[in-house]
Amino acid sequence: MILDLSTIVNIDGKKLDFDGQLDFSGIDEQGVSFVSPVSVCGRISNIGGSLELAATAKMQLRFECDRCLDSVDEEFECSFEEVLKKEDERVEGAENPDVLYFKGNSIELDEIILNNIIVSIPLKHLCKTDCRGLCPNCGKNLNLGECDCDTRPADPRFDILDKLFE
Ligand SMILES: [Zn+2]
Ligand SMILES: [Zn+2]
């Protein structure tokens, strides 16, 4: 998504609304993938000569459960803001790390939006809060039923007996 900023870039107080859909379907980021196109809507405002971007992105994400490794699809929404400045205002060696620079009068938003989505995605995902995970012994998904393994913690009294017979 490329936005033409020429109508706002030199005029303090001007605003530009935008919306659209982005396709990130090929991206797989730490077990998270995009099931639907990302719907984005936002506004870029010229505030005292610098451009401030505010946007909201909505999408359907597919997570892998941390405990049972099942796939779960979830609605995800995040909002973010960025400050944009013209490339010619960049001072070599004194760049502001919070500012994104653009060349000419247009800006490519895909990467900015994708980066903001990735940092907002929670690191831990469970298919449900009481997910029972996989049996550490046989690997069965315990949400689907018990397995035949004896996974009770060993009784510490037997450890003492074990030591006596060592
Ligand atoms: Zn799970
Ligand atoms: Zn088992």
Side-chain angles (χ1 to χ4, degrees):
M1 184 192 284
I2 294 173
L3 283 190
D4 179 7
L5 302 174
S6 52
T7 55
I8 61 164
V9 73
N10 292 318
I11 307 166
D12 192 1
K14 270 274 199 181
K15 293 176 171 65
L16 175 70
D17 289 328
F18 64 90
D19 61 82
Q21 299 224 316
L22 299 177
D23 180 17
F24 295 133
S25 53
I27 288 165
D28 190 321
E29 186 69 27
Q30 296 164 0
V32 181
S33 55
F34 293 83
V35 186
S36 72
V38 175
S39 301
V40 193
C41 66
R43 166 175 283 184
I44 301 182
S45 317
N46 185 324
I47 300 173
S50 73
L51 299 183
E52 298 188 9
L53 163 83
T56 300
K58 281 184 201 167
M59 71 222 79
Q60 184 96 1
L61 291 180
R62 180 160 296 163
F63 297 106
E64 192 175 74
C65 174
D66 284 336
R67 285 189 201 149
C68 70
L69 309 179
D70 242 8
S71 296
V72 209
D73 291 355
E74 257 174 46
E75 287 285 335
F76 185 69
E77 184 178 324
C78 64
S79 297
F80 51 89
E81 291 174 7
E82 296 281 5
V83 177
L84 317 171
K85 276 191 196 301
K86 278 191 152 199
E87 179 72 31
D88 14 303
E89 291 174 43
R90 185 202 286 255
V91 183
E92 206 62 55
E95 287 96 348
N96 183 340
D98 298 326
V99 169
L100 299 171
Y101 295 92
F102 61 95
K103 286 196 182 91
N105 279 335
S106 63
I107 188 159
E108 159 52 59
L109 286 182
D110 296 40
E111 198 185 331
I112 297 173
I113 292 166
L114 180 61
N115 288 342
N116 275 285
I117 292 171
I118 287 171
V119 296
S120 321
I121 293 174
L123 289 173
K124 288 271 164 197
H125 322 282
L126 293 178
C127 61
K128 50 187 180 187
T129 46
D130 59 347
C131 172
R132 300 185 60 210
L134 302 177
C135 168
N137 193 33
C138 70
K140 181 174 172 174
N141 184 340
L142 298 175
N143 297 313
L144 305 175
E146 296 294 333
C147 60
D148 297 324
C149 305
D150 182 4
T151 50
R152 284 171 301 167
D155 190 323
R157 281 171 301 179
F158 292 126
D159 286 350
I160 294 165
L161 287 179
D162 283 348
K163 284 211 175 66
L164 285 177
F165 290 108
E166 260 169 24

